[in-house]
Amino acid sequence: MKRLKLLNLHSLEKRRLLADLTLCFKIRNQLTHTTTAPADTNNSSTHGHSQKRKASKFYCETSKHFFCNRVVKQWNSLPSDIVTSTSLSRFNSTIQQLDFNIFLRFKEL
């Protein structure tokens, strides 16, 4: 952790989370080629933003680590102004400033 702080870097866990959120944004805004349609949104909640994701049911332990399941909580926790960003660069710069420690096993200082 000292080296990461000294070099002003995020942990590998946080970098993976940020990359997952970026990919979710790209898929949601059709900025990347994918052969599958985005998962259904869960618009029944009045809290948060209108582009909430719904986790798939998983029947084995490994399925919960798939991209479509591991990014749902984090994506749904984002503020609506970030989710509805007009550009990828704006989205990336704003999520860099958020505190994701509640989702990380190894908390950043």
Side-chain angles (χ1 to χ4, degrees):
M1 287 305 247
K2 284 183 180 182
R3 288 181 189 174
L4 291 174
K5 192 169 184 173
L6 181 66
L7 296 171
N8 198 23
L9 295 174
H10 297 297
S11 66
L12 182 60
E13 184 181 17
K14 185 169 182 180
R15 285 183 277 161
R16 180 182 185 186
L17 171 62
L18 296 175
D20 285 349
L21 291 172
T22 301
L23 181 59
C24 193
F25 180 83
K26 286 180 177 180
I27 292 170
R28 188 75 195 136
N29 293 294
Q30 299 174 346
L31 299 174
T32 187
H33 178 71
T34 181
T35 57
T36 59
D40 295 333
T41 57
N42 182 8
N43 290 329
S44 61
S45 175
T46 58
H47 297 96
H49 53 82
S50 62
Q51 295 184 10
K52 290 197 175 220
R53 314 305 309 149
K54 187 191 255 186
S56 304
K57 291 186 179 186
F58 47 89
Y59 300 100
C60 62
E61 190 65 21
T62 57
S63 299
K64 73 179 180 181
H65 301 293
F66 290 170
F67 168 76
C68 56
N69 288 326
R70 74 172 182 250
V71 76
V72 172
K73 283 184 196 174
Q74 295 86 343
W75 178 262
N76 289 344
S77 74
L78 293 176
S80 63
D81 59 325
I82 294 176
V83 172
T84 58
S85 294
T86 56
S87 71
L88 179 60
S89 61
R90 177 167 160 68
F91 177 80
N92 281 332
S93 65
T94 52
I95 63 169
Q96 293 285 334
Q97 300 167 4
L98 295 177
D99 180 22
F100 289 106
N101 276 336
I102 60 171
F103 299 112
L104 302 176
R105 279 184 269 164
F106 301 102
K107 310 299 181 214
E108 291 192 338
L109 302 174

